[in-house]
Amino acid sequence: MTGGCPLEGEVRVSGAKNAALPIMCAALLTVKPLVLTNVPGLADVSTAARLLGQMGVAVERSDDGLMTLRAAQITSRVAPYELVKTMRASVLVLGPLLARFGEASVSLPGGCAIGARPVDQHIKGLQAMGATIVIEHGYMNARAERLRGARVVMDLVTVTGTENLMMAATLAEGSTVLENAAREPEVVDLANCLIAMGARIEGAGTDVIRIEGVGSLAGAAHRVMPDRIESGTLLAAAAAAGGKIRLIGALPETLDATLTKLREAGATIVAGKDTIEIEMSRRPAAVSVRTAPYPGFATDMQAQFMALATVASGTATITETIFENRMMHALEMRRLGADITIQGTTAVVRGVEKLQGAKVMATDLRASAGLVVAGLVAQGETLVDRIYHLDRGYEALEKKLGALGARIRRVK
Ligand code: UD1
């Protein structure tokens, strides 16, 4: 890509990756079809479809975001290492499989580029619900006659942990209370889908979720919520590059922390019911962020805001509190001329007038988005390598940015 073009125009937001993945896994909870719309066309969605397909789930998908999943007959209850290692969210089959079939074998995810990311809270919660889980040959082998409702106090806020336990509890005997639950909008979207399937859930979106188990769940139709991270990435790109863009099909109320920070950077933002307009007509001011569980500032937006800070006037501190190793993009941004010093989990970013294009390498999904934002404001050509990371979580980002006037293309 060649930086320096302001962004102008309208762009449609895709369905949320982090809502689509758990909701697809929820199909395992019922013999009936689950019909989803607004499913994004992403590599991670394909991986999840492959994983479920291997288990015997019939998955039909069309280009317009429609997906039907039928888990009438399950032939395997195994999530193999080969798939779990490429997508950690595969662990989301554990709760549903155990709840409906009393048995599951799911590979341990191991570490990843951004940190250790253990799944101990998933395991502890399911054990509290009566499951026996043994770790053998790198797999979590779980069994339970029928899960029992339990009170689970999670040691820390975990998104997929909350989702796994919430799904498991829908078919458990009796009531479950999840305390210190994640409040992310994607947890709420999953809960809404489960409720449409007949689950009895209260409190999703707060830190205490109550689930009354039922004997079985039915099918449902559900529209996947808009992707707030894709939305935030496009807005950060416009704030860095300047110009005026309008997101359509967005969900502004899920983006409070991001919008507040963009306004602080000097952007004018007008949020409608499902639209967000951003206008940036000057050099951004430095804004500091500290990541936190929702409704705090999302760790999945950290790299994009670091990119914004590299060209801002003033000094920003970017502090990562969720993942211990999520600053790899800082080193790549330095190759573009950014002035960044890392002190533990904080990056001190002194804004420079201009970045210069260079070859850089994506290390993980959101790091690659941060590098794209940086490339859009760098003088000359920037080449981001390993964009398979980007394709995991963004639907044709280069096309969306291109339609907004960015000089960007995919090279094979
Ligand atoms: C989800 C999102 C991911 C986002 C992250 C944090 C999906 C598919 N992915 O990932 O995009 O970056 O939330 O918002 O929704 N932890 C434990 N033990 C556990 C579980 C988690 O120690 O059993 C730790 C993790 O290592 C991490 C923190 O808790 O430090 C938060 O992780 P978690 O919320 O579980 O992230 P994911 O659900 O994997």
Side-chain angles (χ1 to χ4, degrees):
M1 75 196 91
T2 309
C5 294
L7 303 183
E8 299 287 342
E10 243 182 38
V11 60
R12 178 165 283 282
V13 172
S14 297
K17 167 179 95 74
N18 287 353
L21 297 177
I23 289 171
M24 286 172 70
C25 294
L28 288 169
L29 290 164
T30 173
V31 293
K32 295 283 166 47
L34 182 62
V35 181
L36 306 177
T37 49
N38 206 31
V39 176
L42 308 170
D44 272 10
V45 167
S46 304
T47 304
R50 198 141 44 94
L51 172 65
L52 294 168
Q54 278 192 3
M55 294 174 172
V57 180
V59 184
E60 283 165 41
R61 193 174 169 191
S62 59
D63 285 344
D64 58 357
L66 176 70
M67 181 183 275
T68 306
L69 304 111
R70 286 184 193 82
Q73 275 148 9
I74 291 297
T75 48
S76 156
R77 292 151 197 186
V78 180
Y81 178 62
E82 289 63 37
L83 290 176
V84 178
K85 77 172 183 209
T86 60
M87 187 183 71
R88 303 177 53 85
S90 306
V91 75
L92 285 164
V93 299
L94 178 60
L97 284 175
L98 196 54
R100 183 164 149 217
F101 304 101
E103 189 181 33
S105 179
V106 176
S107 169
L108 274 171
C112 79
I114 61 175
R117 300 183 82 174
V119 287
D120 56 305
Q121 300 301 309
H122 303 232
I123 295 176
K124 264 176 62 179
L126 292 170
Q127 283 171 336
M129 295 168 76
T132 313
I133 303 183
V134 244
I135 310 290
E136 286 166 319
H137 305 292
Y139 279 74
M140 297 179 270
N141 291 327
R143 279 178 180 281
E145 277 291 314
R146 181 175 176 197
L147 292 174
R148 298 183 305 268
R151 177 166 169 263
V152 180
V153 185
M154 281 175 273
D155 294 344
L156 46 79
V157 177
T158 155
V159 178
T160 50
T162 300
E163 292 167 343
N164 232 339
L165 299 182
M166 183 166 75
M167 287 193 279
T170 59
L171 291 180
E173 175 150 26
S175 51
T176 298
V177 182
L178 303 179
E179 292 192 31
N180 199 21
R183 292 178 283 170
E184 266 67 2
E186 293 77 13
V187 174
V188 179
D189 205 36
L190 170 65
N192 288 340
C193 178
L194 293 168
I195 290 167
M197 293 164 72
R200 294 173 59 192
I201 301 172
E202 274 174 20
T206 74
D207 60 3
V208 182
I209 304 179
R210 288 169 205 279
I211 305 112
E212 199 64 48
V214 295
S216 67
L217 291 175
H222 180 82
R223 182 176 170 83
V224 175
M225 67 174 283
D227 198 311
R228 64 193 167 98
I229 307 301
E230 185 202 29
S231 303
T233 302
L234 292 164
L235 294 170
K244 183 176 180 179
I245 69 166
R246 185 176 149 92
L247 307 187
I248 43 185
L251 199 53
E253 72 238 39
T254 61
L255 277 146
D256 282 347
T258 298
L259 298 185
T260 303
K261 288 292 170 185
L262 288 170
R263 286 192 176 106
E264 224 178 278
T268 306
I269 292 175
V270 182
K273 190 171 149 280
D274 60 357
T275 57
I276 305 173
E277 216 169 72
I278 181 169
E279 183 170 8
M280 188 69 156
S281 47
R282 61 176 181 87
R283 184 178 175 193
V287 288
S288 296
V289 300
R290 183 184 176 83
T291 64
Y294 191 85
F297 186 87
T299 173
D300 286 351
M301 282 303 303
Q302 183 254 102
Q304 301 88 315
F305 267 68
M306 190 182 295
L308 181 62
T310 61
V311 291
S313 59
T315 298
T317 56
I318 310 277
T319 304
E320 175 58 53
T321 73
I322 309 288
F323 295 112
E324 64 273 21
N325 188 30
R326 208 177 200 181
M327 290 274 171
M328 298 287 279
H329 41 277
L331 305 175
E332 296 298 305
M333 287 177 194
R334 272 200 212 154
R335 302 201 64 255
L336 300 171
D339 181 350
I340 306 176
T341 322
I342 308 272
Q343 296 164 354
T345 53
T346 296
V348 179
V349 187
R350 287 173 202 83
V352 295
E353 287 274 342
K354 296 278 177 213
L355 295 180
Q356 304 121 37
K359 280 189 188 170
V360 289
M361 200 161 74
T363 48
D364 66 74
L365 167 55
R366 304 305 170 183
S368 48
L371 293 174
V372 169
V373 173
L376 292 178
V377 291
Q379 280 180 319
E381 194 172 276
T382 297
L383 190 112
V384 182
D385 198 5
R386 302 200 178 166
I387 53 162
Y388 53 83
H389 289 297
L390 195 72
D391 292 333
R392 284 191 47 202
Y394 289 90
E395 191 170 6
L397 186 64
E398 82 283 5
K399 288 201 184 118
K400 291 193 182 191
L401 289 169
L404 295 171
R407 278 180 287 170
I408 182 170
R409 68 191 166 94
R410 179 180 291 261
V411 273
K412 283 278 169 274

